Amino acid sequence: MTKNIVPFIIAMLTILVFLAACGSENRSTDEASSSNGDTNAQDKRIIEHLYGETEIPEKLDRVLSLRPSFTDHILALEEKPYAVTGEEQYGGGYIPYLADQLEGVEIVGNQASIDLEKILSLSPDLIIIDDYLASEVYDDLAKIAPTIVLGTEDPEASNDPNFWQEDFLKIAEIYGKTELAEQKIKELDQKVVDGKEQISGLENKGLAFLRIRKDAIQLYAESGHPMNTLLYNDLGFEPSDLTDPLERKDLSLEVIPEINTDYIFLQVDSSGGPDNMGTIKESSLWQGLPAVQQGNVQETDFWIYKSWGVIGRTQIVDEVLSYIE
């Protein structure tokens, strides 16, 4: 009888040990699953933006920047976008002042014609767009990847020439680099202060900013655009006699002499602008301008684009100071 019980006890003990081992293994698996769940939850975060809230990955490797100023912001944060929009002004390529930092970056059409098929093929982690583009393709982009919309619906804020800083700080939040962004803004502010001090020492500091287009000569206003505010308000140039406080306006060649200013900075658009500029330079009205006669006319490299970001604005200040030396 005793001999028969012993094998039975041994068998029962073996079963109990096996069940205990299974239970331990299941608990380990459950704990691992729970741990992984916590990790996965920590790998995502919520970003508030113009179109609501969007969950984005903690680690960002493939960020698409679909506006030049956003590309400036990303590069200023010492990151690199995975893809950007090209610029029609430059044959569909990179915006020139950032081109050396964008080598190897994919181009996904331009703001007037986004290449959705190309974007889909890139499997992005995140897409950053402005409110104008969002009104056209947000739903399509949001189906491809998390899409953040920057900008504002507040008319007063949208007209604030310093609103670019809000976009910069939002992108810094996305990358977890808010302190770096604030540092970059402070450094730029100090550069502008130093530049203004140098410009204040000029005996004559009247300025007109012209844009030469295929069939137009445009005189930029004193405010209403980040470039205008940088030149006149922040750096302290004085607007020309024809410069409007608020509105950009078209000029005829006949009224050019009324500009009456010490410096002329200008942008020549790539399409048709050079031919128009050639005609303007041949005019005696142009040649009679004090700024022309004194050699104070400088063609800029598209400050209108540069003025929306830290990198571009820094370059503008450096270029301005080189012009007045």
Side-chain angles (χ1 to χ4, degrees):
M1 179 79 174
T2 305
K3 292 180 181 180
N4 291 334
I5 291 176
V6 172
F8 174 76
I9 293 174
I10 292 173
M12 289 299 295
L13 288 172
T14 301
I15 291 171
L16 291 173
V17 169
F18 175 76
L19 291 174
C22 288
S24 176
E25 182 178 348
N26 287 338
R27 282 193 300 274
S28 298
T29 302
D30 291 342
E31 288 169 3
S33 298
S34 175
S35 176
N36 288 338
D38 291 343
T39 301
N40 289 337
Q42 292 170 0
D43 285 344
K44 303 281 187 181
R45 54 202 171 91
I46 300 295
I47 296 292
E48 294 183 3
H49 60 102
L50 190 58
Y51 273 38
E53 295 182 342
T54 295
E55 186 179 67
I56 70 169
E58 186 71 34
K59 187 175 184 335
L60 296 168
D61 295 318
R62 299 185 173 214
V63 176
L64 274 56
S65 169
L66 303 189
R67 175 172 166 151
S69 60
F70 300 165
T71 302
D72 185 309
H73 298 335
I74 292 169
L75 292 170
L77 293 169
E78 301 170 3
E79 300 287 347
K80 190 171 183 177
Y82 189 72
V84 298
T85 45
E87 295 303 309
E88 290 184 283
Q89 283 274 5
Y90 313 109
Y94 303 131
I95 190 163
Y97 84 96
L98 299 175
D100 60 340
Q101 299 182 66
L102 293 174
E103 186 176 353
V105 171
E106 299 278 355
I107 294 178
V108 288
N110 56 64
Q111 283 197 300
S113 180
I114 298 296
D115 189 339
L116 293 172
E117 187 174 344
K118 179 73 173 291
I119 290 174
L120 178 62
S121 73
L122 295 176
S123 301
D125 301 321
L126 177 66
I127 302 169
I128 305 176
I129 62 175
D130 62 20
D131 49 339
Y132 175 79
L133 185 59
S135 66
E136 303 290 330
V137 294
Y138 176 79
D139 290 339
D140 294 324
L141 291 173
K143 292 174 184 175
I144 296 173
T147 300
I148 299 293
V149 184
L150 302 186
T152 177
E153 293 178 337
D154 179 355
E156 185 174 345
S158 65
N159 291 323
D160 181 352
N162 291 316
F163 186 80
W164 65 269
Q165 294 184 18
E166 299 298 323
D167 287 342
F168 183 36
L169 290 170
K170 177 58 70 172
I171 290 178
E173 178 190 344
I174 289 168
Y175 280 100
K177 291 190 171 184
T178 299
E179 288 186 8
L180 178 58
E182 292 171 344
Q183 175 190 329
K184 296 283 186 178
I185 291 172
K186 287 181 181 178
E187 290 171 355
L188 174 59
D189 288 344
Q190 187 59 53
K191 177 178 279 290
V192 170
V193 168
D194 294 342
K196 184 171 187 176
E197 183 178 354
Q198 189 169 336
I199 291 166
S200 70
L202 295 174
E203 184 176 349
N204 301 301
K205 43 185 173 287
L207 172 67
F209 189 94
L210 300 177
R211 183 173 184 177
I212 311 301
R213 313 189 85 157
K214 181 179 179 180
D215 299 311
I217 304 170
Q218 294 182 327
L219 176 62
Y220 270 64
E222 186 179 347
S223 61
H225 186 286
M227 180 192 69
N228 305 345
T229 302
L230 176 59
L231 293 175
Y232 296 111
N233 183 73
D234 301 343
L235 290 174
F237 282 105
E238 296 173 355
S240 74
D241 292 348
L242 289 184
T243 299
D244 190 90
L246 299 173
E247 299 293 333
R248 180 180 66 188
K249 59 185 179 181
D250 289 352
L251 302 180
S252 66
L253 194 55
E254 287 71 26
V255 302
I256 284 288
E258 298 176 27
I259 291 178
N260 188 30
T261 191
D262 307 298
Y263 293 90
I264 295 176
F265 300 156
L266 57 87
Q267 168 181 311
V268 180
D269 282 13
S270 59
S271 178
D275 290 339
N276 194 13
M277 190 72 235
T279 301
I280 293 168
K281 285 181 177 179
E282 291 174 0
S283 167
S284 60
L285 297 174
W286 176 263
Q287 294 171 8
L289 290 173
V292 175
Q293 294 178 345
Q294 294 166 18
N296 289 336
V297 177
Q298 299 289 344
E299 183 174 338
T300 71
D301 59 345
F302 289 86
W303 287 358
I304 293 167
Y305 291 92
K306 280 184 166 186
S307 59
W308 295 88
V310 165
I311 297 173
R313 291 174 75 86
T314 299
Q315 291 185 13
I316 289 174
V317 176
D318 288 339
E319 289 162 17
V320 165
L321 298 181
S322 73
Y323 292 162
I324 65 172
E325 288 177 352

